[in-house]
Amino acid sequence: RGVALAPAAPDAVGDALDGIEAAFKAYPPLCLGKIVSGIFIAGRIAIDGAQAGGVGGPAWIVLAAPADISAAARVETARLGVHHESSSFVWARDDLLRQRWAETLPPGWRFAGPAVEQLARADAPAPPPETGFLSAYGGTTPENDFNIYAETAFDAPRTLAARAAATKLVARKLGLLLEAYARIDPRLADAFARGGLAAAATRG
């Protein structure tokens, strides 16, 4: 990929660190270290010229903290980015997850091409609930779909539990996500139970 990074302004780094700290609270101690080796902060991240909130490397992630957005937006970008970007490592290392996830995708669904096209779809209306996609961006690739599920599971578990209660396919995909993370760290099963996710997944 054509990834370009710009350095972060010192004042913006603190906001990103606040978001990262908030994200860590969703995981048991040392759990994220089993998934990624490090987290870096950049001022801007461009993938093939398109602005992105984060990107993954061989064993680490980089999160964007632009100086020209609000402090609250920088905190949110980093908080969500931890869940979103780290989940790509879960996806890449779990053959069973990818195989079973593929079985949940709508037949003939048109996925996006390069990163520019994927990012361009991010602000489009969400697909119908029965497709199982939580957002337009989730419908761009199977990996992005899993990223959005992971991001929502860790940052807004009750929202995802409600979606799963309303749509059986969402509950099924949620179950696959919970199983994948529990294979990495069994302690996450307790965290998912507290957020209501485990009970919601059983409906699938």
Side-chain angles (χ1 to χ4, degrees):
R1 291 179 293 183
V3 178
L5 306 176
D11 291 346
V13 171
D15 298 324
L17 290 174
D18 287 344
I20 292 169
E21 181 181 9
F24 269 51
K25 294 176 182 178
Y27 303 82
L30 305 180
C31 175
L32 270 173
K34 299 178 180 181
I35 302 173
V36 296
S37 297
I39 300 175
F40 299 92
I41 301 168
R44 287 275 181 188
I45 300 172
I47 304 175
D48 294 333
Q51 299 298 315
V55 68
W60 35 261
I61 62 176
V62 184
L63 305 176
D68 59 352
I69 64 175
S70 70
R74 286 192 291 268
V75 171
E76 181 179 29
T77 296
R79 188 184 73 247
L80 297 179
V82 169
H83 308 311
H84 188 106
E85 300 300 335
S86 65
S87 69
S88 283
F89 291 89
V90 178
W91 175 263
R93 296 167 184 165
D94 195 324
D95 293 338
L96 178 61
L97 167 65
R98 295 195 305 275
Q99 175 187 334
R100 296 182 65 189
W101 199 271
E103 296 168 357
T104 71
L105 302 175
W109 181 263
R110 181 186 173 275
F111 290 108
V116 172
E117 183 181 346
Q118 296 170 32
L119 293 167
R121 285 201 205 174
D123 295 326
E130 60 268 22
T131 64
F133 298 118
L134 300 180
S135 70
Y137 186 71
T140 57
T141 72
E143 180 179 346
N144 289 339
D145 186 25
F146 181 75
N147 294 154
I148 294 296
Y149 266 81
E151 175 186 313
T152 310
F154 285 106
D155 193 69
R158 299 201 180 279
T159 296
L160 184 51
R163 294 286 297 269
T167 306
K168 188 173 182 179
L169 181 54
V170 173
R172 179 183 172 191
K173 294 168 80 169
L174 171 59
L176 296 179
L177 180 143
L178 302 189
E179 291 169 4
Y181 273 93
R183 285 194 286 272
I184 294 171
D185 192 326
R187 295 175 299 168
L188 282 168
D190 292 334
F192 292 139
R194 289 194 299 273
L197 294 174
T202 62
R203 303 187 183 100

